[in-house]
Amino acid sequence: MTAPDLADLEALALVAAARSFRGAAARSGLSASSLSDAVRRLEARLGVRLLNRTTRSVAPTEAGLRLLERLRPALAEVRAALDVVNGFRDSPTGTLRLNVPGIVGRLMLPRILPPFQAEHPGITVEVTADDQLIDVLGAGFDAGVRYGEMLEQDMIAVPLGPRVQRYALAAAPSYLERHGSPGHPRDLLGHACLRYRFLSGARPAWEFERAGQVVRVDPSGPLLANSIEMILAGAAAGLGIVFSFEDLVAPLIAEGRLVALLPDWWGEFPGPFLYCHDRRLMPAPLRAFIDHLRGPHGRW
């Protein structure tokens, strides 16, 4: 049996990761038909079905799963080995794929990316803003940005954005006129509170800290949403109390649309980190981005 074509193996990995030929085509820039031809050619050469295809989805067979388990790290090493040449350019080229929380996409990357891309015009940055806790590297991204995650031994973490952040508590003047102001975090249990909920269904408790005392409350209210814009708009309209990133709430406080509440209880927490595999052959676009974050332009 002759060795399969490397491009056909790449096509299999792309389709399996996307769970569809159309999704893989959109991610890779190839046509769905060419990817389908590549997988059929690979299956014919190996003499075994690798993907189960239905009108709605594509999923690896048992043989396909076993092949992909060994194939993905091997393909990553091949791509990284070829990318070594990229490091000898004055400025590397290629694509950098990042998965970041929504707050990082709104507040931090708009400041970081323009100077980085001005320095490296040959690098295309693909950003997916997603608050779900997915396997970022397993989903095909080069790196992820997260808050406070435990990293495995083969991972590296690079600070991104401000090293200290806070959550701010606030409400509109019209709400406070009707309901009064809380004097302690536990008083929030008697107030209308606007809550953020992740797509997974998780609804983080509100945590406050003062002089070493930590208070966690799980208040309720008239609005529960996975859109912080909707929650902020509801708060500004007097619907209830909001508890969110200070950088998002502060402009509304400065405009007088919201009033800060219990500022002595706004606890601090570490800023986010970019994380990726600590591998010997790192893609040149990712290496350039890490160098940028570690240099003077990447300091907050």
Side-chain angles (χ1 to χ4, degrees):
M1 181 181 69
T2 58
D5 188 273
L6 180 62
D8 292 349
L9 294 170
E10 284 269 19
L12 173 68
L14 283 168
V15 174
R19 296 280 173 158
S20 77
F21 287 95
R22 287 185 178 180
R27 177 177 295 182
S28 65
L30 302 172
S31 68
S33 61
S34 67
L35 290 170
S36 179
D37 290 342
V39 173
R40 279 199 297 267
R41 191 163 51 243
L42 183 60
E43 289 176 327
R45 181 164 293 178
L46 297 178
V48 63
R49 178 175 288 275
L50 301 172
L51 296 177
N52 287 321
R53 306 157 175 85
T54 70
T55 56
R56 294 186 176 181
S57 66
V58 174
T61 63
E62 183 69 19
L65 284 173
R66 295 293 174 265
L67 176 60
L68 288 164
E69 286 175 0
R70 304 290 295 271
L71 183 61
R72 286 187 176 115
L75 287 175
E77 283 298 308
V78 170
R79 286 191 293 267
L82 294 174
D83 195 54
V84 167
V85 179
N86 204 4
F88 287 91
R89 300 174 184 268
D90 292 335
S91 177
T93 63
T95 301
L96 173 65
R97 297 176 177 87
L98 302 176
N99 182 284
V100 307
I103 187 68
V104 172
R106 291 184 187 95
L107 297 180
M108 300 169 202
L109 288 187
R111 170 176 171 175
I112 294 172
L113 288 183
F116 169 71
Q117 294 188 282
E119 183 181 355
H120 300 287
I123 295 179
T124 299
V125 182
E126 294 183 2
V127 179
T128 298
D130 186 356
D131 288 321
Q132 298 186 80
L133 297 180
I134 66 171
D135 179 2
V136 168
L137 304 181
F141 295 95
D142 296 305
V145 177
R146 288 292 181 266
Y147 283 88
E149 282 194 335
M150 295 296 293
L151 300 179
E152 300 175 5
Q153 291 184 351
D154 63 343
M155 305 290 284
I156 61 173
V158 181
L160 180 149
R163 298 320 316 133
V164 176
Q165 292 185 268
R166 296 195 303 174
Y167 273 100
L169 188 75
S174 59
Y175 175 87
L176 299 176
E177 289 173 4
R178 298 193 309 271
H179 302 283
S181 300
H184 188 276
R186 293 192 185 92
D187 295 341
L188 294 169
L189 296 175
H191 280 269
C193 295
L194 313 183
R195 301 292 301 275
Y196 184 85
R197 181 175 64 185
F198 290 101
L199 288 175
S200 65
R203 186 177 64 183
W206 290 6
E207 182 174 303
F208 302 87
E209 181 178 358
R210 186 177 70 178
Q213 180 187 6
V214 177
V215 177
R216 294 182 181 87
V217 295
D218 190 15
S220 60
L223 180 61
L224 185 65
N226 69 337
S227 167
I228 187 60
E229 289 84 3
M230 185 181 299
I231 291 172
L232 289 170
L239 193 59
I241 296 176
V242 63
F243 186 58
S244 187
F245 287 90
E246 183 181 8
D247 289 334
L248 293 176
V249 178
L252 295 174
I253 294 175
E255 295 169 5
R257 300 174 64 191
L258 293 179
V259 176
L261 303 173
L262 305 177
D264 292 343
W265 285 93
W266 297 359
E268 297 180 344
F269 58 93
F273 287 83
L274 177 96
Y275 69 97
C276 59
H277 276 306
D278 185 9
R279 53 196 178 193
R280 181 173 55 89
L281 298 175
M282 182 178 291
L286 177 57
R287 168 57 63 193
F289 190 60
I290 289 175
D291 290 343
H292 181 83
L293 293 178
R294 287 174 169 165
H297 296 295
R299 295 174 187 163
W300 213 258

